[in-house]
């Protein structure tokens, strides 16, 4: 009888244990789902042009950068320092770009979707550690495009964003008109693209137009370009395309401000862990 009682208690214990494991397995997906939702991108609302409420209340994902406390470095030292950085927002492309492009930050923007309307995408800030050009990259339809600008182009971009925000705030934007996509001029850029973010061997140079457009009563600052010749086609031939897609990126005021801030000399210096703006390294003369 004593043995029978012990056996019954063991059986009860096993049942309780199995019940606890089953409950845990049910709860685990719920916890995983909650954690994933916290990491999801923030949805950006269009700017309201016809009220005085100001910018959209949606905020961009914020990245806290702590400037390194270091003595001024040479350009060569700054590149070596950059290559040693391996945190979540500072890793290197490993295919197609020869480890020249470094991911520095994250933001968001809108691209032209399959429907022809703006579609929100997550974007990166990418710095070329070889020549000091910097820009942004994001998925675009079935490909991944990276737009790189030199210092002169970045300063022109900052001026264009300031002019757009001034026109927005003072209600000078026009819903229809000629050349609105070129309202604030154009800048020279270098495009890199491919099927994946880490594989963008296609490249070419072109003009990036700066302007704005209205979509569903909401204005956006725009960056757009016509197809550019693919220099990589001369290397591999028909295994790739002869030119890029036509590109059109849309930004709310908050997104445009964030892009300019992340591409400023001060921000690029912070990314590199130096106390002065990045200086491109010149080739050795022999």
């Amino acid at each position: 009888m004593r043995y029978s009682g012990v056996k019954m208690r063991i059986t009860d214990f096993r049942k309780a244990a199995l019940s606890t494991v089953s409950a845990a397995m049910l709860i685990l997906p719920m916890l995983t789902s909650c954690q994933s939702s916290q990491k999801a991108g923030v949805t950006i609302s269009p700017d309201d042009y016809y009220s005085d409420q100001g910018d959209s209340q949606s905020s961009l994902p914020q990245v806290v950068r702590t400037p390194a406390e270091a003595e001024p470095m040479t350009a060569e030292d700054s590149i070596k320092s950059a290559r040693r950085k391996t945190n979540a927002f500072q890793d290197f492309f490993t295919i197609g770009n020869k480890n020249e492009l470094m991911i520095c930050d994250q933001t968001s923007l809108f691209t032209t979707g399959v429907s022809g309307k703006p579609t929100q995408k997550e974007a990166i800030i990418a710095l070329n550690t070889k020549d000091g050009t910097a820009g942004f990259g994001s998925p675009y339809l079935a490909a991944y495009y990276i737009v790189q600008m030199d210092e002169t182009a970045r300063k022109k971009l900052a001026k264009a964003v300031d002019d757009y925000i001034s026109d927005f705030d003072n209600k000078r934007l026009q819903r229809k008109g000629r050349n609105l996509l070129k309202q604030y001029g154009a800048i020279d850029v270098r495009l890199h693209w491919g099927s994946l973010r880490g594989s963008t061997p296609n490249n070419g140079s072109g003009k990036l137009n700066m302007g704005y457009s209205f979509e569903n009563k909401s204005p956006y600052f725009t960056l757009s370009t016509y197809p550019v010749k693919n220099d990589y086609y001369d290397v591999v031939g028909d295994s790739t395309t002869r030119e890029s897609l036509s590109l059109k990126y849309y930004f709310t005021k908050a997104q445009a401000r964030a892009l300019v801030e992340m591409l400023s000399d001060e921000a690029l210096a912070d990314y590199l862990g130096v106390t002065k703006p990045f200086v491109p390294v010149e080739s050795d003369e022999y």
Side-chain angles (χ1 to χ4, degrees):
M1 292 294 292
R2 184 184 308 170
Y3 174 76
S4 176
V6 171
K7 187 175 182 179
M8 289 178 64
R9 285 195 293 272
I10 292 175
T11 301
D12 292 341
F13 175 78
R14 288 176 176 172
K15 289 181 179 179
L18 288 173
S19 178
T20 301
V21 171
S22 298
M25 293 179 67
L26 289 173
I27 293 173
L28 182 58
M30 296 170 61
L31 292 176
T32 303
S33 175
C34 291
Q35 293 173 348
S36 300
S37 65
Q38 292 176 355
K39 296 180 180 179
V42 177
T43 300
I44 306 299
S45 299
D47 290 321
D48 187 351
Y49 187 61
Y50 298 102
S51 74
D52 297 323
Q53 294 178 354
D55 292 349
S56 166
Q57 297 301 310
S58 298
S59 59
L60 291 169
Q62 297 297 313
V63 178
V64 178
R65 298 188 301 272
T66 303
E69 296 181 359
E71 295 297 325
M73 308 173 83
T74 65
E76 186 173 358
D77 289 338
S78 71
I79 291 176
K80 292 179 181 178
S81 173
R83 291 188 183 279
R84 288 196 295 267
K85 291 192 174 184
T86 57
N87 69 32
F89 298 116
Q90 292 168 316
D91 56 5
F92 288 90
F93 295 97
T94 57
I95 305 173
N97 297 96
K98 300 180 181 178
N99 284 352
E100 294 175 0
L101 294 178
M102 183 179 75
I103 303 174
C104 300
D105 216 330
Q106 291 182 331
T107 184
S108 70
L109 47 73
F110 292 83
T111 67
T112 301
V114 176
S115 65
K117 299 297 182 180
T119 302
Q120 185 176 328
K121 300 290 184 181
E122 293 184 358
I124 60 165
I125 299 298
L127 169 65
N128 189 315
T129 58
K130 182 178 180 180
D131 61 17
T133 58
F136 60 92
S138 76
Y140 200 104
L141 296 177
Y144 199 96
Y145 276 80
I146 301 169
V147 181
Q148 294 293 106
M149 298 167 266
D150 63 15
E151 182 179 4
T152 299
R154 295 195 300 270
K155 291 185 182 303
K156 289 182 179 179
L157 172 63
K159 175 65 165 54
V161 169
D162 285 343
D163 290 345
Y164 168 74
I165 292 176
S166 175
D167 288 342
F168 184 111
D169 292 342
N170 290 286
K171 300 294 188 290
R172 291 193 295 260
L173 301 179
Q174 303 175 39
R175 290 188 59 84
K176 296 181 180 180
R178 298 186 60 184
N179 298 320
L180 294 182
L181 295 180
K182 303 178 181 179
Q183 180 72 17
Y184 306 111
I187 53 177
D188 294 321
V189 296
R190 185 80 180 170
L191 301 183
H192 299 268
W193 72 93
S195 56
L196 301 170
R197 187 179 77 180
S199 179
T200 55
N202 302 290
N203 61 88
S205 299
K207 293 285 187 181
L208 190 67
N209 298 312
M210 302 178 292
Y212 67 89
S213 67
F214 276 78
E215 300 291 337
N216 294 328
K217 298 184 179 181
S218 295
Y220 293 85
F221 178 76
T222 59
L223 297 174
S224 59
T225 181
Y226 297 110
V228 303
K229 178 182 177 295
N230 184 6
D231 295 339
Y232 193 55
Y233 180 85
D234 297 335
V235 178
V236 299
D238 291 334
S239 62
T240 188
T241 57
R242 291 178 179 269
E243 59 185 16
S244 72
L245 295 174
S246 292
L247 304 176
K248 187 177 181 182
Y249 298 95
Y250 308 79
F251 302 83
T252 64
K253 287 198 297 181
Q255 288 174 319
R257 285 195 191 103
L259 179 66
V260 168
E261 179 184 349
M262 293 177 183
L263 292 178
S264 67
D265 288 346
E266 293 77 14
L268 296 179
D270 284 351
Y271 299 143
L272 289 171
V274 297
T275 56
K276 62 180 181 180
F278 179 84
V279 179
V281 176
E282 298 180 358
S283 301
D284 293 325
E285 295 184 2
Y286 182 64

